Amino acid sequence: MEFHFLPIFAFLSLALVAIHAALTPEAYWKSVLPNTPMPKAIMDLLHPGKRKAGVGTNIDIDISNIVRYYEAASDNEDQFHDTTNVVAYFLENDMKPGMTMNLHFTKSKNAATFLPRQVVESIPFSSNKMQQILDHFSVKTYSTEADIMKQIIELCEKPGIEGEEKYCATSLESIIDFSTSKLGNYNNVQAIATMVEKETAQVEKYYSIAGAKMVGEDAVVCHKQNYEYAVFYCHKTRATKEYMVSLVGTGDGTKAKAVAICHTDTSQWDPKNLAFQWLKVKPGNTLPICHFLNEDDIVWIAN
């Protein structure tokens, strides 16, 4: 009897794709990443109806989430900074027990949740089809919401800077696929995010309980954007280290486990970058510059 393995293999591959396409985002996570705990930041985006969706109006703060992670070549990135969104830069060797810092961990004002991949793939996501997108969501053409959505799409279409691999993920499934593809394989990846015991409306002083624990030297970081459904700007950049830092507020004792990103090579950054002004250092690769990530930033690291 003659066996034709290639057609059988092709059939099984198509069947597997069909099964994955039929899964909910949460089920897809469990099927692909059974040994990877899901961060609360993602869990909160899986249940439509519990949070009010829709585009907000604070586009500057939402875009600054990206700028904080990788501030580099653009001459006009400083325009995205806002004094209400505190950026606390520090040097890697500052992460010691007892380190104190004024911090304000925030979440995006946009509460849109994930849609299944098969749904979002049926909706255009291109600046060439902007009117069709606005019509789909019943957004007025010349409204603030329309401007915000257009800026997000254009940001996603803009080429990455040197050394950056970027991708705008429009579903949880696509976040998983992009992040794991950049970090090796499904069995060698974990997702982490900053966790704060309770939200505060203002800057708080925190101190480090036991210094920092390095958890990775290779990462994909995804930042939630201000869109009609959950969209994340994901990018992998070179020369970073990732840390988990246990913090306690000096006022009411609020606890936090914060993710810190340290950039070990800043030679390509804009010399006028806010980080250099803040720390009084120059671009280079001798003094790693670090900052914390907000609660809805997802960091993917290789185990």
Side-chain angles (χ1 to χ4, degrees):
M1 181 180 292
E2 184 178 357
F3 291 93
H4 299 280
F5 290 103
L6 188 58
I8 293 174
F9 177 77
F11 173 79
L12 291 176
S13 297
L14 288 173
L16 184 60
V17 170
I19 290 172
H20 274 172
L23 294 175
T24 64
E26 188 170 19
Y28 186 82
W29 178 290
K30 291 179 180 178
S31 71
V32 177
L33 301 169
N35 301 315
T36 302
M38 182 183 290
K40 183 178 182 297
I42 290 180
M43 291 182 185
D44 289 345
L45 300 177
L46 289 174
H47 305 288
K50 289 189 176 182
R51 306 176 73 196
K52 184 178 179 182
V55 175
T57 58
N58 205 338
I59 191 69
D60 287 352
I61 290 181
D62 285 334
I63 291 181
S64 73
N65 286 339
I66 298 169
V67 179
R68 276 203 311 277
Y69 174 69
Y70 194 75
E71 305 227 0
S74 175
D75 290 332
N76 61 356
E77 282 181 337
D78 283 347
Q79 69 178 305
F80 294 129
H81 287 287
D82 190 289
T83 56
T84 62
N85 202 16
V86 175
V87 183
Y89 295 104
F90 53 95
L91 299 177
E92 184 181 31
N93 57 16
D94 290 334
M95 288 191 289
K96 302 173 182 178
M99 174 188 74
T100 60
M101 190 174 297
N102 293 324
L103 300 168
H104 185 205
F105 296 108
T106 64
K107 290 183 180 180
S108 168
K109 296 181 182 297
N110 171 263
T113 53
F114 282 116
L115 295 178
R117 176 159 55 185
Q118 61 268 30
V119 174
V120 296
E121 287 182 348
S122 68
I123 306 170
F125 191 80
S126 168
S127 56
N128 292 330
K129 297 184 178 180
M130 201 65 227
Q131 191 57 54
Q132 187 177 341
I133 296 170
L134 298 178
D135 292 343
H136 180 89
F137 292 107
S138 300
V139 175
K140 294 181 179 180
T141 303
Y142 300 105
S143 64
T144 301
E145 289 81 1
D147 289 340
I148 291 172
M149 295 171 69
K150 181 180 179 182
Q151 288 185 51
I152 294 300
I153 291 176
E154 289 177 347
L155 178 69
C156 291
E157 293 175 338
K158 184 179 178 181
I161 60 176
E162 183 180 354
E164 177 190 36
E165 298 177 82
K166 56 169 282 192
Y167 174 70
C168 277
T170 56
S171 66
L172 178 57
E173 296 93 329
S174 60
I175 292 177
I176 294 172
D177 292 348
F178 174 77
S179 301
T180 53
S181 71
K182 298 303 176 185
L183 295 173
N185 61 66
Y186 292 126
N187 298 318
N188 192 38
V189 171
Q190 64 174 306
I192 58 176
T194 293
M195 295 183 295
V196 182
E197 195 172 52
K198 67 177 183 179
E199 292 186 36
T200 60
Q202 57 190 10
V203 175
E204 300 283 344
K205 178 173 282 189
Y206 288 86
Y207 70 92
S208 172
I209 301 174
K213 177 183 178 181
M214 191 171 76
V215 294
E217 293 184 274
D218 195 16
V220 173
V221 181
C222 298
H223 311 272
K224 189 168 188 289
Q225 297 306 296
N226 200 3
Y227 205 71
E228 286 286 342
Y229 51 85
V231 171
F232 278 78
Y233 180 106
C234 299
H235 55 164
K236 181 184 178 186
T237 57
R238 62 189 181 188
T240 64
K241 295 180 183 179
E242 295 73 46
Y243 290 88
M244 287 296 296
V245 185
S246 295
L247 303 168
V248 175
T250 60
D252 58 4
T254 297
K255 296 179 181 179
K257 287 187 176 181
V259 180
I261 300 290
C262 293
H263 302 273
T264 58
D265 183 359
T266 58
S267 59
Q268 299 301 312
W269 289 21
D270 184 349
K272 295 182 291 185
N273 186 289
L274 182 63
F276 301 130
Q277 300 174 35
W278 189 301
L279 297 172
K280 294 180 172 57
V281 297
K282 296 181 178 180
N285 56 9
T286 56
L287 293 171
I289 293 178
C290 311
H291 58 86
F292 289 111
L293 296 179
N294 279 326
E295 291 182 78
D296 50 8
D297 293 326
I298 311 299
V299 182
W300 299 80
I301 58 175
N303 290 325

